Amino acid sequence: MVKEVGASFTIVGHSERRADQHETSHDAWAKAAAARRQGLNVILCCGETEAERDADRAERVVQAQIEKSVPDNADGSWFTLAYEPRWAIGTGRTPTLDEIAAIHAIARAKLRMLIGDAAAGVRILYGGSVTGANAALILATPNVDGALVGGASLTAEKFVPIIEAAASL
Ligand SMILES: O=C(CO)COP(=O)(O)O
């Protein structure tokens, strides 16, 4: 159905689905695999809750989500990972650049364990309160290959500075 209406990308495992529809990492895996079979590109989201970060469990949570939800045949030609800490979505709060770098490095290492050399070609996006003011620094962080933008993509006034930040790198 999504394909029939002309979509070429789908987002699976978004934290709102995980929280509101109790979608599990296994559900996200099944959806990613099904989307691939239909020829759709997949953006798979992972990310910890605030309670998990406060308990120093962010890295373990993200590793477990990746392990359970990345299809075996994932590669950068159709598969993108997005790190989206739940507590940063729509809140105006973001992790520090060091925290983003640490999670993205761990995500890349976990991908390498799961899919080998193909991991190098998988884009890992950061999402959660990306704005024109913070995009340049976030996008310049190691292992950050792009941004998944929510609120700031809704108006040209807010989105154009993010595009400009990306273009200036
Ligand atoms: O959930 C998001 C994109 O999927 C991020 O949303 P915000 O950029 O509004 O925080």
Side-chain angles (χ1 to χ4, degrees), residues 36-121:
R36 169 59 178 160
R37 285 195 296 276
Q38 296 303 316
L40 287 164
N41 297 297
V42 171
I43 299 174
L44 173 79
C45 298
C46 60
E48 81 285 357
T49 63
E50 184 152 32
E52 288 163 344
R53 176 160 286 275
D54 289 347
D56 217 10
R57 295 184 53 233
E59 296 181 357
R60 263 175 294 156
V61 166
V62 169
Q63 281 179 317
Q65 288 173 340
I66 293 172
E67 197 165 304
K68 291 179 190 153
S69 52
V70 174
D72 289 349
N73 61 343
D75 69 51
S77 71
W78 65 276
F79 180 83
T80 299
L81 187 69
Y83 169 54
E84 293 211 312
R86 269 191 222 180
W87 53 272
I89 294 175
T91 61
R93 296 161 58 209
T94 59
T96 65
L97 297 175
D98 284 348
E99 287 167 344
I100 294 173
I103 296 276
H104 279 238
I106 279 167
R108 181 84 64 198
K110 180 56 84 176
L111 284 175
R112 198 169 294 117
M113 280 175 58
L114 295 171
I115 58 171
D117 290 346

